[in-house]
Amino acid sequence: MKTKDRIIHGALTLFNENGERSVTTNHIAAHLEISPGNLYYHFRNKEEIISGIFDNYAKELKTRFQPMAEDQQSNMPSVQVMLSYLDSIFELMWNYRFFYANLPDILSRDDALKLKYTKAQQALNENLIAIMHSFRDSGLIDLEDDELQALTKTLHLVASCWINYQTALLSDNEITEAVIYQGMLQMLNVVRPMATEQGRKQILELEEHYKGRL
Amino acid sequence: MKTKDRIIHGALTLFNENGERSVTTNHIAAHLEISPGNLYYHFRNKEEIISGIFDNYAKELKTRFQPMAEDQQSNMPSVQVMLSYLDSIFELMWNYRFFYANLPDILSRDDALKLKYTKAQQALNENLIAIMHSFRDSGLIDLEDDELQALTKTLHLVASCWINYQTALLSDNEITEAVIYQGMLQMLNVVRPMATEQGRKQILELEEHYKGRL
Amino acid sequence: MKTKDRIIHGALTLFNENGERSVTTNHIAAHLEISPGNLYYHFRNKEEIISGIFDNYAKELKTRFQPMAEDQQSNMPSVQVMLSYLDSIFELMWNYRFFYANLPDILSRDDALKLKYTKAQQALNENLIAIMHSFRDSGLIDLEDDELQALTKTLHLVASCWINYQTALLSDNEITEAVIYQGMLQMLNVVRPMATEQGRKQILELEEHYKGRL
Amino acid sequence: MKTKDRIIHGALTLFNENGERSVTTNHIAAHLEISPGNLYYHFRNKEEIISGIFDNYAKELKTRFQPMAEDQQSNMPSVQVMLSYLDSIFELMWNYRFFYANLPDILSRDDALKLKYTKAQQALNENLIAIMHSFRDSGLIDLEDDELQALTKTLHLVASCWINYQTALLSDNEITEAVIYQGMLQMLNVVRPMATEQGRKQILELEEHYKGRL
DNA sequence: AATGAATGAGTTTTCATTCAT
DNA sequence: CATGAATGAAAACTCATTCAT
């Protein structure tokens, strides 16, 4: 792995463990056993490292939430499709949890990043709506167009804010994988009232899947 | 107003405007036209100021969300009750928005605060559940106990994260009162699938109320 | 002496001895036995210290080169007047020699300072012209108005550039007081061709005065 | 052009534009689209680059200011000789202006350069004196030996400091060719008081020449 | 000749906090 | 209660220079 990538990965690890605020560029350098000068050879400043991390995140976001082509979809049982999306959300939330936990702070200090973030989220939103449409077409959920928009928004909000929200309710600061799994369950709770009979069965399956991991 | 309170209010103002991270204790002192020494006479450290702000927040939280006594309730039309709760939630979120924007960060640096915060949120959660129960008893919503828990959680999450969620997506000058009203509408969207015929009517009334303000 | 003034004086001393470039803010703090934080309590940055030094310089410049009122002048023998002006030039050049030695560099990094400098020099130029007029009126020099302007400009240039120019010709880097005295003599050389018989006598006296100090 | 020469020329350009202090060796390499390693293959350090620039300067200085052989001189009208010298001086000053702007600083960091510089200036001084002698012999100026020395020094000083003197007083965009011509005129002003009747005529011619270019 | 990643000591600056008055 | 000067550890960042390839 190239140094530039090692920095991005090392920084991500430390940020997730200790929070972006308390991780200095010197910490990152020491953690990777490189000199601070070398770090600044690859990145002009700390912002640029965060921005680099975000680019990776955005790339994953894009590929994971591209709605599948219809023919592929019909071949795959719907529960598998839902599972794959939920797992994607889980992994992103877990792998970039420092980002989810400090979003307003991080974005307020970097206008360019804020712009990138907004664009990525708009693209994501469109994809999510398409995905919901396909769930409706498959008879998993049953709702009007405006209700579908509202549901998507709620799901997006739960996904983006879950970690932030949960930190409030936990007695220690540690965000563990179990916390994220609870988020998946909460998202299923949000969808359940709109589910068809068939959809409800599948949601039950998924719930069993995640409850097993708590 | 005593100096101690002036500090708490001044700090809150600056934190909300610029974020806790970039507001120094010297900024606060300068803003209030007092000396840093004086500030530290009233508060041992910055944490204690934040903690003081939190105490105010917790007090408001408690008084606003005590479920009303049954007799009062019966005298007040339910739509009014919901309206008052929604207004309360968003007013609090707006007045203490810096807090939500930096929660994991702030709590990770102050274990005592963390504990207070958790307790306050648990109390709030219980109140919210009681409120939801009374709504069910009034025949506004119709759901099982576990669904009620899930709904409450979603509502709490939407309420506490709405401003953060939107500030991440919008630019500073786009954060207006209208954003708050959209948050109210989003909460109504969350409730609607569980509403009874009667509840649905009231939700419609509230929607008209808020749409008129956009 | 207040700390703020101690910093200005200490910095000036170190700048004169070692050049502005190689004197760091930490050097200055260490030299005064104060903490770097304290230095930055009084000055936002290094530029501001230099600016503070310049303000002192400009104040001296102004008071020393205000042309004397006519009646005062007539009471004082002309040679004394000339001597007092030359000594003023000498002292300024000596006390602020780091400034004279690095002018383009220092001004290029601080637009505000550059503006202050330009204004100070314009005021100085007017004073110098007035002084030259009074010398002509006293019959010490004899020249047309445009020649007087040219002479003033040459004298100003010699004064401002002498140290810079001399560094070139000396085999060691040390600017000593003798170097400055040679500058005084050079200025007299510039004036001499325009001197009247009476003026020439006085210039000779002054030359003796400065040659004795070499 | 060899890489070594490209470095010298590129560095000179950047130094003149931005000042030696703020131009890093990496800037120079980037500007030339070579690697920093390659730059250090050709030069041991930054000082050596500056030294290389100086060598070019010294070479030009030498060839331009060798007093012409007598027979050549008699063939060329004196006004032409003066014109050619004036042009040479200011061209050099302009092409190597960074050097004059930072002289004390640059020389203080490199003893070897300091020595070279001093020798070059002494040689120049002797040449200038020889040139002045020939002007006196041609009956253009009339003065004693010591006055001639003083005049030479003043001329040298005006020539070498003019650009610095003006950059301190003017803003960047005001430093144009016109400023250079004003410097030429200022030098003529310095010589005029010593000029013979015949010399005065020629000075007038030159003045017309430069005033036409303002 | 040339590359470009890497070094590390050094520089400016920040800021929560203390302390003498 | 209040002042405001002072602290000092630590943060971000720089840059001349080296070195393996």
Side-chain angles (χ1 to χ4, degrees), chain D residues 74-86:
Chain D
S74 53
N75 292 339
M76 200 199 263
S78 302
V79 65
Q80 286 298 349
V81 177
M82 282 184 83
L83 190 63
S84 114
Y85 280 132
L86 282 175

Side-chain angles (χ1 to χ4, degrees), chain C residues 18-22 46 100-109 114 117-118 121-122 125 146-147 149-154 156-158 160-173 182 186 189-190 192-194 200, chain D residues 18-22 46 100-109 111 114-115 117-118 121-122 125 146-147 149-154 156-158 160-162 164-172 182 186 189-190 192-194 200:
Chain C
N18 308 106
E20 180 269 334
R21 184 174 187 171
S22 59
K46 201 181 174 184
Y100 285 90
N102 292 69
L103 207 52
D105 207 65
I106 290 169
L107 295 184
S108 75
R109 277 175 293 133
K114 171 131 189 178
Y117 180 81
T118 313
Q121 293 303 333
Q122 277 163 355
N125 196 44
D146 57 340
E147 287 174 322
Q149 301 264 355
L151 174 65
T152 308
K153 196 165 215 168
T154 304
H156 186 208
L157 194 152
V158 173
S160 357
C161 300
W162 183 252
I163 288 176
N164 214 316
Y165 173 73
Q166 273 304 96
T167 318
L169 301 174
L170 301 169
S171 37
D172 47 22
N173 299 318
Q182 278 166 2
Q186 185 64 23
N189 282 333
V190 171
R192 199 190 296 117
M194 285 79 167
R200 213 170 289 261
Chain D
N18 307 108
E20 181 269 334
R21 185 173 187 173
S22 61
K46 201 181 177 186
Y100 286 88
N102 297 70
L103 252 190
D105 213 70
I106 291 169
L107 297 184
S108 75
R109 280 177 291 139
D111 287 342
K114 169 92 199 178
L115 199 66
Y117 186 85
T118 314
Q121 291 302 335
Q122 278 163 354
N125 200 42
D146 56 341
E147 286 174 322
Q149 300 264 353
L151 174 65
T152 307
K153 197 164 215 167
T154 304
H156 187 204
L157 194 152
V158 173
S160 39
C161 298
W162 183 254
N164 272 345
Y165 176 72
Q166 292 293 354
T167 43
L169 292 173
L170 304 172
S171 54
D172 271 7
Q182 279 164 3
Q186 185 66 20
N189 281 332
V190 171
R192 199 190 296 115
M194 286 78 166
R200 212 171 291 259

